[in-house]
Amino acid sequence: MKWQQWICALACLTIAIPASAYIGPGAGISFIGSLFSALLVVFLSIVAVFSWPLRYLWRRTRRLIREARGLPPLTIENDRAEDEDEELTGTSAQQETASARN
């Protein structure tokens, strides 16, 4: 008896009758936009998770290079000050430090 129920259920699922429904272009575009944005969020979150170690290594390498050159640690305040110096004088603080050593 059990297999007869399975056959009946399978027959009901495979026999398709025409649907009398219409999905307008607005609903379809909304669905595609929502699907695209959800996929984009998933993709960007995966990229962010996997790019974090690379960003960490890049910052660490830059910090070690600055320490090896004897430059102060790069902070937001130092970065802003260097940008202002560069705008005022036309040279960067790193160029001034390098010319002072020579």
Side-chain angles (χ1 to χ4, degrees):
M1 189 72 161
K2 195 80 159 167
W3 62 274
Q4 291 172 346
Q5 291 174 348
W6 281 105
I7 290 175
C8 182
L10 184 63
C12 289
L13 291 174
T14 56
I15 298 172
I17 54 175
S20 299
Y22 172 72
I23 298 178
I29 290 173
S30 298
F31 174 74
I32 290 171
S34 299
L35 181 66
F36 176 72
S37 58
L39 292 175
L40 186 66
V41 164
V42 169
F43 174 74
L44 290 177
S45 62
I46 290 171
V47 167
V49 167
F50 285 115
S51 70
W52 183 85
L54 297 175
R55 291 183 298 159
Y56 172 75
L57 287 175
W58 176 255
R59 289 179 185 153
R60 183 171 177 243
T61 303
R62 285 180 49 207
R63 183 180 42 124
L64 292 175
I65 289 172
R66 289 184 69 81
E67 289 175 0
R69 292 180 180 169
L71 298 173
L74 189 59
T75 60
I76 294 174
E77 292 80 21
N78 287 345
D79 194 26
R80 286 184 188 152
E82 286 179 4
D83 287 343
E84 290 171 3
D85 289 343
E86 189 173 327
E87 288 174 5
L88 295 175
T89 63
T91 60
S92 68
Q94 291 178 352
Q95 291 173 345
E96 292 176 9
T97 307
S99 63
R101 286 187 194 158
N102 297 332

